[in-house]
Amino acid sequence: VKFNNCAGNKGVRYETNSLDFKVRADGTMYAAHPVQLPSKQLVLMVTAWDPQTLGRWETIVQFLVAEKSQHNGHKPKGRKAVPGELAQQQSDTLLPWRQHQSANGLRRQKRDWVIPPINVPENSRGPFPQQLVRIRSDKDKEIHIRYSITGVGADQPPMEVFSIDPVSGRMYVTRPMDREERASYHLRAHAVDMNGNKVENPIDLYIYVIDMNDNRPEFINQVYNGSVDEGSKPGTYVMTVTANDADDSTTANGMVRYRIVTQTPQSPSQNMFTINSETGDIVTVAAGLDREKVQQYVVIVQATDMEGNLNYGLSNTATAIITVTDVNDNPPEFTTSTYSGEVPENRVEVVVANLTVMDRDQPHSPNWNAIYRIISGDPSGHFTIRTDPVTNEGMVTVVKAVDYEMNRAFMLTVMVSNQAPLASGIQMSFQSTAGVTISVTDVNEAPYFPTNHKLIRLEEGVPTGTVLTTFSAVDPDRFMQQAVRYSKLSDPANWLNINATNGQITTAAVLDRESDYIKNNVYEATFLAADNGIPPASGTGTLQIYLIDINDNAPELLPKEAQICEKPNLNVINITAADADIDPNVGPFVFELPSVPSAVRKNWTITRLNGDYAQLSLRIMYLEAGVYDVPIIVTDSGNPPLYNTSIIKVKVCPCDENGDCTTIGAVAAAGLGTGAIIAILICIIILLTMVLLFVVWMKRREKERHTKQLLIDPEDDVRDNILKYDEEGGGEEDQDYDLSQLQQPETMDHVLNKTPGVRRVDERPIGAEPQYPIRPVIPHPGDIGDFINEGLRAADNDPTAPPYDSLLVFDYEGSGSTAGSVSSLNSSSSGDQDYDYLNDWGPRFKKLADMYGGGEED
């Protein structure tokens, strides 16, 4: 058995569907043990299995079994089946369950036959159903048998592709087959009696669909893109095109062959490429690929099945676009051999000249991008050449300032190359080098101070007008006759003068090292030197003066104030001194008491601790509390030494057991007696009492004001007051009422039993009442007239205020009534009554006026 999985058949294993036969690794089939074959034909299925890709391939192997030779004793030999012989030996009727009879007359069951595959061509035009084969058992002579088939294509999807006559056993195909949809079917034939009992064992039926050339090759892509370097040698691989044919690849129907139909353009040859007819690999076949001439080729590739037979095979085409990629086979070349430029002196980052080159390779690629180098003419590195990424030009740029007085011109030799190295066999062109001439122009340069910053040393206190130094500048323009003038730019203390012509510096005031303008003993001033060029230029210089200290400051005593107990104890005053000078014009200091007045040395004494500190203490056993001015003479160690008499204020006070001044003692020490202290305390108490009485009076006044109904105090009110009466009536003459006129019914039962909601006119309504704004109790903070009007308006619009606006009810009429009958009252309808006067009675009669006022309209 020959098999090819397109990967060298590595690890492929073979299997068969029979335990009697096996397949070796080289494809040779052999019998695993002695076998007796019951028929003259043997059909086996061989499976090739790849354990790596898990792919499986199947094929059918048919054998014809030769009969034993009558002339010799050789064992039967297998021979390859001939299609013609197979056709003759196949019969339309298969007896898979054939019985054999032994010589002694007993029937013994033989093994079932292996039915050869049934081949059905695809795309058959019918008519359908079309008979394939008839299956029958030789037991049908004894009993009635019913035949059936099961499997994919019968009772499993796709359903009813095959059918069988249950009586005759004829098997049919019901519709055209498509091998590309399904290449084979495995069915099982069953034979049962009329009661459904199995008569024979099921037999396997293999149906194979014979392929027809009904599918043309299909390319995986309609357009393929590939590339090849220019100048490639013949046989250089370019790309692979692939077409698949759905037909059986083991037959000519699925064997695809490739060929190139056209090539565009046909330059420099019409056959620049060729294609492997079986693999589809496109390779170069001719030399002369040049990207600068042809950048792209379009190749039409045709794939044909039937092994490329154009007469019988089906074809399809695809487009292969082959791009010729660039290689660095063209060195860059300058467009001219010499370039020139000009640059002013002392300027940097200035483009002096643009160098143009020509390169025929692909633009903006490493084969085209230019790199410039200066070979000679610039030993100090004043220039560099940068590449413009857009134009590929070289920009000669100044990176280090040039000096006209040093170099008036430069002659540079430059070379250009590419980022990518040249292809093998390509030499650098002589036009890849050029000369650049650069002229330097003179400009007016500013004068400069050779020593900047300049430092000089001298003692402080030199007199005014002293010459310190000459701070002169140099003009670098040697070829220009120019004068330099000097001036001050910065002199914080205004201590210096400079000669405008020669730069001589003198003092304009006494220099003091202890001044605030001195930092670390150094005074700094800045001067300006300007020439008279066009335009003028100037430079600055800094002069630093280091001042040496002299003993010109006497020491000062510290501290200025202190306190001590009135009795001598361990409580002493530590004193020291401060001197604005520096060493050696400071300590050690000498502290001493003056001889005048004599009381100073009598009451006080000084004890030296070290060169900078001493102690002041009482000499006597007791000194009255108070503040004393103690003079002390302090002398420094300068040459000559300076002294200063300083006063220290000492507060002498009584002390507690810890040696600390008491509070009363501190006050007493400040100069206040006991009587003065008591007077101060009494004044404080009186002041607090007055404040408390004032607060109480203000609280009471505020309370009285809130109890008043008016905005101002009654005693200050010059207007009429409103008198409030708690009762209604005209006055004192109306206070006596005849209560007998208020007649009530003799019994109250009818009052208690009257319907809810009916009340008397002089009773306050009970139940849910509308919410109205509360009338103000405190007078409005406006005019008293406005307050009265607001109260009146609120009373008129408040139905809950007496007299209550409710329904008048007459409890009853008739027998027992204390009131007279109203039955005799008749309403007269004669004449029209004018009720317009009700509109003048106010808001309480508005509803009644609306009811009767429009009588004629109603």
Side-chain angles (χ1 to χ4, degrees):
V1 179
K2 293 183 179 180
F3 173 75
N4 183 14
N5 68 346
C6 302
N9 297 347
K10 294 182 180 179
V12 176
R13 303 176 183 177
Y14 299 96
E15 299 175 353
T16 66
N17 61 346
S18 173
L19 299 177
D20 298 332
F21 296 90
K22 295 183 179 181
V23 184
R24 295 189 178 95
D26 59 356
T28 304
M29 296 184 62
Y30 64 96
H33 51 78
V35 178
Q36 282 191 347
L37 302 179
S39 62
K40 295 183 179 181
Q41 180 173 297
L42 177 63
V43 179
L44 298 178
M45 178 177 289
V46 180
T47 301
W49 174 54
D50 191 343
Q52 295 181 354
T53 63
L54 301 180
R56 300 180 71 89
W57 297 266
E58 295 180 349
T59 187
I60 298 297
V61 179
Q62 299 179 357
F63 292 99
L64 291 181
V65 182
E67 296 182 356
K68 291 185 179 181
S69 176
Q70 302 294 334
H71 304 285
N72 53 43
H74 294 288
K75 295 181 180 181
K77 297 181 180 179
R79 61 188 180 91
K80 192 172 183 180
V82 180
E85 295 180 356
L86 286 175
Q88 295 176 0
Q89 292 179 5
Q90 284 184 347
S91 174
D92 288 342
T93 302
L94 301 179
L95 297 174
W97 299 290
R98 180 174 299 174
Q99 303 290 331
H100 293 272
Q101 187 173 0
S102 60
N104 55 11
L106 296 177
R107 301 172 62 88
R108 67 185 179 89
Q109 182 72 34
K110 302 292 287 186
R111 255 191 333 177
D112 296 336
W113 281 13
V114 177
I115 304 303
I118 302 170
N119 297 323
V120 181
E122 67 172 333
N123 303 325
S124 174
R125 296 183 179 181
F128 298 100
Q130 182 179 358
Q131 181 176 340
L132 298 180
V133 71
R134 180 184 179 190
I135 300 174
R136 59 180 294 271
S137 172
D138 53 6
K139 290 183 180 181
D140 60 358
K141 300 177 181 180
E142 302 174 1
I143 59 175
H144 294 286
I145 297 178
R146 292 292 181 264
Y147 302 97
S148 63
I149 56 175
T150 59
V152 176
D155 60 347
Q156 300 177 20
M159 307 285 286
E160 299 180 354
V161 178
F162 302 97
S163 64
I164 188 170
D165 189 321
V167 177
S168 64
R170 289 185 176 87
M171 183 175 172
Y172 301 92
V173 60
T174 61
R175 60 190 182 196
M177 310 292 289
D178 187 358
R179 192 202 69 84
E180 288 71 40
E181 181 180 346
R182 191 175 183 89
S184 63
Y185 296 86
H186 179 199
L187 303 178
R188 305 202 80 184
H190 306 270
V192 298
D193 58 16
M194 300 300 292
N195 295 324
N197 297 319
K198 184 175 68 173
V199 178
E200 302 285 359
N201 293 327
I203 295 300
D204 291 327
L205 298 178
Y206 293 94
I207 302 173
Y208 293 96
V209 183
I210 300 175
D211 183 46
M212 305 293 289
N213 190 20
D214 57 345
N215 292 279
R216 66 178 63 249
E218 295 289 342
F219 282 94
I220 297 177
N221 302 311
Q222 278 302 113
V223 178
Y224 290 85
N225 291 284
S227 61
V228 62
D229 290 339
E230 62 175 332
S232 297
K233 297 179 180 180
T236 302
Y237 171 80
V238 180
M239 68 169 72
T240 300
V241 296
T242 303
N244 296 324
D245 197 315
D247 293 326
D248 190 356
S249 60
T250 61
T251 65
N253 298 335
M255 295 181 179
V256 181
R257 299 294 182 264
Y258 305 91
R259 73 185 187 95
I260 293 178
V261 180
T262 59
Q263 168 196 307
T264 304
Q266 298 180 359
S267 173
S269 172
Q270 63 180 358
N271 295 319
M272 294 298 295
F273 306 95
T274 185
I275 188 171
N276 188 307
S277 61
E278 294 185 2
T279 63
D281 294 340
I282 299 177
V283 297
T284 59
V285 71
L289 291 174
D290 190 352
R291 191 204 65 85
E292 286 72 37
K293 294 180 179 179
V294 179
Q295 298 183 5
Q296 191 178 81
Y297 291 90
V298 178
V299 177
I300 304 301
V301 180
Q302 184 182 59
T304 307
D305 57 15
M306 298 299 291
E307 298 183 283
N309 191 323
L310 298 177
N311 296 325
Y312 303 103
L314 302 177
S315 301
N316 212 338
T317 59
T319 302
I321 299 177
I322 302 174
T323 302
V324 181
T325 55
D326 184 47
V327 297
N328 194 12
D329 56 347
N330 294 283
E333 298 177 349
F334 285 104
T335 56
T336 182
S337 59
T338 58
Y339 298 88
S340 62
E342 187 177 77
V343 59
E345 63 174 336
N346 301 322
R347 295 280 301 277
V348 294
E349 298 300 326
V350 178
V351 177
V352 179
N354 289 338
L355 311 180
T356 56
V357 295
M358 180 185 65
D359 196 323
R360 291 178 295 174
D361 290 321
Q362 184 175 359
H364 305 290
S365 68
N367 300 329
W368 179 83
N369 295 336
I371 298 177
Y372 300 88
R373 293 179 309 175
I374 299 175
I375 300 176
S376 62
D378 185 23
S380 301
H382 292 284
F383 305 95
T384 187
I385 304 179
R386 298 166 181 165
T387 304
D388 189 317
V390 178
T391 63
N392 212 30
E393 294 181 354
M395 299 178 293
V396 182
T397 308
V398 181
V399 294
K400 183 179 179 181
V402 295
D403 189 356
Y404 175 82
E405 286 72 27
M406 299 295 294
N407 298 95
R408 300 187 182 184
F410 292 87
M411 298 294 296
L412 306 180
T413 302
V414 298
M415 184 179 70
V416 63
S417 60
N418 293 125
Q419 287 183 354
L422 291 173
S424 60
I426 305 300
Q427 300 295 328
M428 184 66 71
S429 172
F430 70 92
Q431 295 180 354
S432 297
T433 57
V436 182
T437 302
I438 300 175
S439 301
V440 182
T441 58
D442 191 16
V443 296
N444 184 25
E445 300 177 75
Y448 67 94
F449 292 88
T451 55
N452 194 15
H453 301 27
K454 184 176 183 179
L455 177 65
I456 62 174
R457 300 170 64 92
L458 72 155
E459 288 185 349
E460 64 173 330
V462 294
T464 302
T466 303
V467 177
L468 301 182
T469 184
T470 299
F471 198 24
S472 58
V474 177
D475 191 350
D477 296 317
R478 294 178 296 172
F479 303 100
M480 299 181 184
Q481 300 298 326
Q482 298 179 145
V484 178
R485 305 287 294 179
Y486 301 92
S487 61
K488 286 195 303 181
L489 187 62
S490 173
D491 184 11
N494 201 22
W495 285 345
L496 305 175
N497 288 327
I498 186 169
N499 189 296
T501 304
N502 57 16
Q504 188 180 70
I505 296 175
T506 58
T507 60
V510 177
L511 279 64
D512 185 6
R513 192 200 65 84
E514 290 74 32
S515 172
D516 294 336
Y517 299 104
I518 303 298
K519 304 297 180 183
N520 297 325
N521 302 326
V522 175
Y523 180 72
E524 192 172 274
T526 306
F527 299 93
L528 184 70
D531 60 18
N532 58 352
I534 302 176
S538 61
T540 60
T542 301
L543 177 65
Q544 293 178 332
I545 304 174
Y546 185 89
L547 295 177
I548 302 173
D549 184 47
I550 63 175
N551 194 18
D552 57 346
N553 292 279
E556 291 288 337
L557 181 68
L558 293 177
K560 299 296 183 180
E561 295 182 355
Q563 67 180 14
I564 193 171
C565 294
E566 59 186 3
K567 296 181 180 180
N569 54 11
L570 297 179
N571 190 359
V572 297
I573 300 173
N574 291 325
I575 57 176
T576 185
D579 197 325
D581 295 322
I582 60 174
D583 192 65
N585 298 319
V586 287
F589 301 102
V590 176
F591 302 92
E592 56 184 347
L593 296 172
S595 58
V596 178
S598 60
V600 174
R601 291 193 174 185
K602 176 182 177 182
N603 296 334
W604 305 91
T605 182
I606 292 179
T607 305
R608 181 182 179 87
L609 296 179
N610 53 36
D612 294 330
Y613 290 91
Q615 287 183 343
L616 176 65
S617 59
L618 287 174
R619 178 185 293 273
I620 60 180
M621 298 304 296
Y622 173 79
L623 184 63
E624 184 180 358
V627 178
Y628 297 86
D629 292 338
V630 181
I632 298 177
I633 301 173
V634 185
T635 307
D636 61 17
S637 298
N639 187 17
L642 295 180
Y643 68 92
N644 182 27
T645 301
S646 300
I647 303 297
I648 179 172
K649 288 183 176 295
V650 181
K651 294 180 181 180
V652 179
C653 59
C655 295
D656 55 15
E657 61 275 8
N658 296 324
D660 299 326
C661 282
T662 61
T663 304
I664 298 178
V667 174
L672 294 178
T674 304
I677 296 173
I678 294 174
I680 292 173
L681 293 177
I682 292 174
C683 292
I684 294 174
I685 293 173
I686 294 174
L687 181 61
L688 292 176
T689 303
M690 294 178 64
V691 171
L692 181 60
L693 291 175
F694 179 76
V695 171
V696 171
W697 179 77
M698 290 298 294
K699 289 285 186 179
R700 184 175 180 181
R701 180 181 176 85
E702 185 70 19
K703 185 176 181 181
E704 292 177 354
R705 180 176 299 178
H706 281 294
T707 58
K708 299 293 183 179
Q709 294 295 326
L710 298 177
L711 294 173
I712 57 178
D713 294 337
E715 60 270 15
D716 297 332
D717 189 12
V718 297
R719 297 175 296 180
D720 292 339
N721 295 330
I722 299 175
L723 299 179
K724 179 179 179 183
Y725 294 95
D726 295 333
E727 70 283 341
E728 295 182 1
E732 282 134 32
E733 64 276 7
D734 296 329
Q735 298 300 317
D736 296 329
Y737 298 100
D738 186 6
L739 300 179
S740 63
Q741 298 299 322
L742 301 175
Q743 299 180 4
Q744 296 293 334
E746 297 176 356
T747 176
M748 298 300 293
D749 294 339
H750 66 283
V751 177
L752 299 176
N753 296 331
K754 64 182 179 181
T755 58
V758 179
R759 303 187 62 82
R760 298 176 63 86
V761 70
D762 55 348
E763 293 179 335
R764 182 181 179 90
I766 299 176
E769 299 177 356
Q771 297 296 324
Y772 294 92
I774 299 175
R775 285 179 285 176
V777 177
I778 301 176
H780 192 276
D783 187 47
I784 193 65
D786 295 339
F787 170 72
I788 295 173
N789 292 331
E790 288 184 5
L792 178 60
R793 197 158 45 254
D796 289 340
N797 296 324
D798 187 359
T800 63
Y804 306 116
D805 190 8
S806 60
L807 183 64
L808 297 178
V809 179
F810 296 94
D811 291 346
Y812 60 92
E813 292 182 20
S815 177
S817 174
T818 59
S821 175
V822 296
S823 301
S824 61
L825 296 180
N826 294 325
S827 60
S828 175
S829 62
S830 63
D832 293 333
Q833 179 70 31
D834 185 9
Y835 296 99
D836 292 339
Y837 61 88
L838 295 176
N839 293 323
D840 301 331
W841 288 13
R844 292 181 180 271
F845 296 90
K846 186 176 184 302
K847 185 174 183 64
L848 190 62
D850 293 339
M851 294 174 59
Y852 290 93
E856 302 222 6
E857 295 179 3
D858 296 338

